[in-house]
Amino acid sequence: MSAEKIIGDWKKKNFKPVYWLEGEEPYFIDKVIHYAENNILTESEAGFNLTIFYGRDAEWASVVNACMRYPMFSENQVVLLKEAQHLKDIEKLESYIEKPLASTVFVVGYKDKKIDGRSKLAKTIKQKYEYFNSEKIKEWKLNEWVMEMINSLGFTINEMALRLLVEHIGNDLSRIENEIVKLSLNLKERKNITENDIENFVGISKEYNVFELQDALAKKDLPKAIRIIQYFQANPKAAPIQFVLPTLYNYFSKVYSIFDMPDKSEKAVSELFYRNFFAARQALLTYKIYGFAEIEKILLLLHHYNLKSVGVNDTGTADAELMKEMAIKIINL
């Protein structure tokens, strides 16, 4: 069962008495609950038949009592239990869930973790009702997921723009969705999202970001690397060192892997980058510019400067100065 399937059933007026939504990814849980709150009932029906509880403030008995009421002027009532992971004695809901009222649509959002699968409550839910485990999007599927969302709104996005958007924001799905909606509103009649749009409307510089720094280091372009680091120094939120160093380490680790690959074609290398051919081409260029020993030394340098950035063997050197020093050492290998 997926969030889309649950919402799709609701659009067809197919309701089950209990929906249990849990897991580490809040985005899909919020999406289902938002639909239940705003779309299952009409505005006039919701006034009498929509009840919302928050786990931290609710009592389990009050939730059960609400679920046991019959709807007024509607075929169904909706009871939402948000942040259910904070509800005390949550296992006592089992008495209602064992025999729920058919006219009640009871939706539970249990975030960040899972209910004990050995409990009677969990077994009852999984055997009889709709259970949804909201999992984090895997890193290798994130580009595809973002592309599908953009396409569903009737837009396209070029490779560089997608890279900037996804790799800068990461797997914060709610923020990605907000930025895509903002982009769609600003593009007006145009349907293709470019890196200029990402810069203008999301606020990620296409010239001065960690991926351009990565590219400068990969090509041994010291003047460009220093310019980018100076931009970071003037704009501390653009790319903090705690974001820059892991990103660079991840990239050079993948370049390091190329040396052991029997097939060093662009297609084969793209698998290291989740089938991103742009990144594969850049990695192959880096592989040719630096040798095996140099890439190994780069990884050691990145580890060394990561320790210095958190105060190990360092007396408080500014982040920008650490990055400049590191860039010079990498490019001079």
Side-chain angles (χ1 to χ4, degrees), residues 193-246:
I193 300 169
T194 68
E195 59 268 32
N196 288 330
D197 299 319
I198 301 298
E199 182 171 40
N200 292 333
F201 304 123
V202 181
I204 304 168
S205 170
K206 68 178 189 297
E207 299 294 339
Y208 299 103
N209 58 71
V210 65
F211 310 110
E212 289 300 315
L213 175 61
Q214 175 181 291
D215 184 64
L217 295 174
K219 295 176 180 176
K220 293 198 171 189
D221 187 341
L222 183 57
K224 182 179 179 182
I226 297 300
R227 285 199 308 272
I228 293 169
I229 293 169
Q230 286 173 337
Y231 175 83
F232 295 164
Q233 187 173 17
N235 301 272
K237 292 183 179 180
I241 195 169
Q242 293 80 11
F243 173 65
V244 171
L245 294 178

Side-chain angles (χ1 to χ4, degrees), residues 292-306:
F292 178 85
E294 285 75 18
I295 295 294
E296 200 167 53
K297 288 176 183 176
I298 288 172
L299 293 175
L300 291 172
L301 278 170
L302 288 167
H303 176 66
H304 172 71
Y305 279 94
N306 184 55

Side-chain angles (χ1 to χ4, degrees), residues 223-279:
K224 182 179 179 182
I226 297 300
R227 285 199 308 272
I228 293 169
I229 293 169
Q230 286 173 337
Y231 175 83
F232 295 164
Q233 187 173 17
N235 301 272
K237 292 183 179 180
I241 195 169
Q242 293 80 11
F243 173 65
V244 171
L245 294 178
T247 302
L248 294 176
Y249 191 90
N250 181 53
Y251 172 73
F252 282 103
S253 294
K254 289 176 179 177
V255 175
Y256 189 63
S257 300
I258 296 174
F259 289 94
D260 288 329
M261 293 175 65
D263 181 0
K264 295 178 175 61
S265 67
E266 186 177 296
K267 182 178 180 182
V269 172
S270 73
E271 294 299 319
L272 295 173
F273 297 91
Y274 315 113
R275 296 183 286 279
N276 185 327
F277 285 89
F278 180 91

